[in-house]
Amino acid sequence: RPDRRQRERLDMQKRHKPEEQAIEILRGNDRGGYTVPTPGLYPYQWNWDSVFAALGFAVFDRGRAWQEIETLFEGQWADGMVPHIVFRKNDPSYFPGPDIWKSNTDPRSSGHSQPPVAASVILTLAKTGGKDDVARARRLFPKLIASHRWWHDYRDPDRTGLVGIIHPWESGRDNCPDWDIGMDRIVVPDDLGPYHRRDTDHVDADERPTVQQYDRFLTIVKFGRECGWNHRKIAAEGPFFMADPGVQFTLMRADRDLLELGRLLGETFDEGEIEGWIELSQQGALSMWNGDIEAFVARDLRVGGFSTALTNASMLAFYAGAGTGDQLGLLAGHGREILDICEYGFPSWDPRHEAFECRRYWRGPVWSVMNYMIAIGLEEHGYAGMAERLRNDCRRLPELSGFYEYFDPLSGEGLGGPDFTWTAAIYLALGRGLDPALAKV
């Protein structure tokens, strides 16, 4: 049953068409060249949030769509990394802010990255646009090359074809149970110090990470800060280093899309370098296959061991074109069973597993951006029915509950931050055919 805040938003929705409301959300979250995911809870520019925001802006303002990505890349580090947060201004409503990260960059930013989806979205914009879109994609192309090279150099230093992440936040799926095996080994230091987290000032605590999880999150940040964000040292010695199917599969897709983009633009670049990344990653991805549960899952790169359940990131294997035909067939079978259980898909953790929590951040709820990518992959591999189901859920969930950050897969209740940028953006993009699997312009 909707609470007061949801009733107010639903009343507003009755007065406006959902498309109009989605556009209003993007405009309302615009801070002058970049958007915040939602006011209060996330007051800065987030990496993959901004990239998906560009898909929404592209429906009604192409110039503003490109500006969103261009301002994100203004925060790119000299080594090629695109940080997960760009701190455009100091906002005390968010913790941990720039004074905790101490990245010593201009603009100030966080010390790690997020799933590399930019090349894929830029390819979509270039293929569905005109001359200006191609020109702006061409200006960003060298930055994309540098970003991808950073992932392969700094997150796969041993050239295994399997990239690692140094923090659950780098995955974008912050407190998914995937990370529990790595997080449980982290020893919180006595000098971590007191802190006041701000997320629970805006959202119910039962929808957010626990205190114990947050202590471990900040322990990883402390290590990075104290070693000056030396990413080779962090990958080798940091308290957390895990393979993430979400990052692995979005990077694999983005490498393919980067190669296609370069050819589309007529750029001169080292095609062999990218082809090498693609070939090596195909082999590396196979080491994430957990035969016991018949799915690609997270893997601890420090001491070994697999996560214990299928997630929405597992389903991105279709998006990446990863795995064997038999493996993808098994994944599709799991997907059908899970969608039969859930009124709304695709949940971020397997509802057949005891750790499933339908309301808590990344431990069960549905996320529109994940559905968008999963549906592309399913469509491309011949699972059109499941793909259509996920696209429909991306549309009907906001229409039912408002444009929330994430949704309960059983009831459809909106959870997390309200008036959320990427939920609105995906709603608009799907309504106007900005989906490469359907080849609509």
Side-chain angles (χ1 to χ4, degrees), residues 205-279:
D206 65 356
E207 298 175 18
R208 304 296 295 177
T210 66
V211 172
Q212 291 78 15
Q213 289 167 331
Y214 225 85
D215 283 348
R216 288 171 170 81
F217 291 158
L218 294 178
T219 297
I220 304 171
V221 173
K222 182 176 184 291
F223 182 94
R225 182 178 65 240
E226 291 178 349
C227 74
W229 296 108
N230 179 332
H231 281 282
R232 296 205 185 280
K233 182 178 178 67
I234 297 170
E237 304 174 19
F240 183 95
F241 198 52
M242 289 189 67
D244 167 28
V247 166
Q248 178 78 14
F249 291 151
T250 54
L251 180 60
M252 288 174 67
R253 175 66 182 232
D255 282 341
R256 286 170 39 209
D257 289 344
L258 182 66
L259 184 61
E260 182 179 349
L261 178 65
R263 291 168 175 168
L264 174 70
L265 299 175
E267 291 291 284
T268 300
F269 64 101
D270 187 350
E271 295 190 21
E273 179 183 28
I274 301 176
E275 289 170 342
W277 295 339
I278 294 169
E279 182 178 356

Side-chain angles (χ1 to χ4, degrees), residues 15 41 43 60 90 92 171 200 205-206 261 273 285 292 327 331 334 363 392 405 408 416-417:
R15 298 192 297 270
L41 181 59
F60 61 95
N90 192 23
S171 74
T200 50
D206 65 356
L261 178 65
E273 179 183 28
D292 291 338
Q327 288 170 334
L331 280 177
H334 287 303
R363 300 178 86 87
N392 287 341
E405 182 179 2
D408 185 323

Side-chain angles (χ1 to χ4, degrees), residues 280-423:
L280 190 60
S281 295
Q282 287 283 357
Q283 295 302 311
L286 296 176
S287 66
M288 290 190 298
W289 182 260
N290 183 340
D292 291 338
I293 64 169
E294 299 177 332
F296 293 103
V297 299
R299 179 181 166 195
D300 192 331
L301 296 178
R302 289 280 184 257
V303 298
F306 291 100
S307 181
T308 58
L310 180 147
T311 67
N312 52 4
S314 304
M315 297 297 289
L316 290 175
F318 296 96
Y319 183 66
T324 66
D326 288 344
Q327 288 170 334
L328 293 179
L330 289 168
L331 280 177
H334 287 303
R336 292 189 192 96
E337 288 185 17
I338 289 169
L339 291 175
D340 284 343
I341 294 170
C342 297
E343 179 66 23
Y344 304 93
F346 199 88
S348 45
W349 185 255
D350 192 335
R352 302 169 298 183
H353 193 281
E354 61 183 6
F356 174 74
E357 296 182 72
C358 63
R359 296 175 57 86
R360 193 179 295 276
Y361 198 59
W362 289 108
R363 300 178 86 87
V366 174
W367 301 74
S368 290
V369 293
M370 297 295 285
N371 276 12
Y372 171 80
M373 294 185 289
I374 295 167
I376 290 171
L378 288 170
E379 186 80 33
E380 291 174 343
H381 283 81
Y383 297 101
M386 274 199 289
E388 184 66 13
R389 160 75 189 274
L390 296 186
R391 287 192 293 266
N392 287 341
D393 285 354
C394 284
R395 300 274 291 176
R396 66 187 185 125
L397 278 166
E399 292 171 359
L400 171 72
S401 299
F403 289 90
Y404 275 83
E405 182 179 2
Y406 46 98
F407 301 89
D408 185 323
L410 304 181
S411 70
E413 179 185 355
L415 303 167
D419 298 334
F420 213 82
T421 293
W422 71 11
T423 306

Side-chain angles (χ1 to χ4, degrees), residues 3 8 14 19 22 26 32 44 47 54 175 180 188 212 242 260 287 297-298 377 392 402:
D3 62 16
E8 290 174 352
K14 291 176 182 177
E19 290 84 358
L26 290 182
Y44 297 113
N47 183 325
N175 72 314
D180 290 353
V188 178
Q212 291 78 15
M242 289 189 67
E260 182 179 349
S287 66
V297 299
N392 287 341

Side-chain angles (χ1 to χ4, degrees), residues 17-51:
K17 293 181 179 180
E19 290 84 358
E20 295 172 351
Q21 189 180 5
I23 291 172
E24 288 176 6
I25 288 170
L26 290 182
R27 287 174 170 160
N29 290 343
D30 189 343
R31 295 296 181 268
Y34 71 95
T35 54
V36 298
T38 189
L41 181 59
Y42 302 115
Y44 297 113
Q45 183 175 23
W46 259 258
N47 183 325
W48 66 332
D49 293 73
S50 266
V51 176

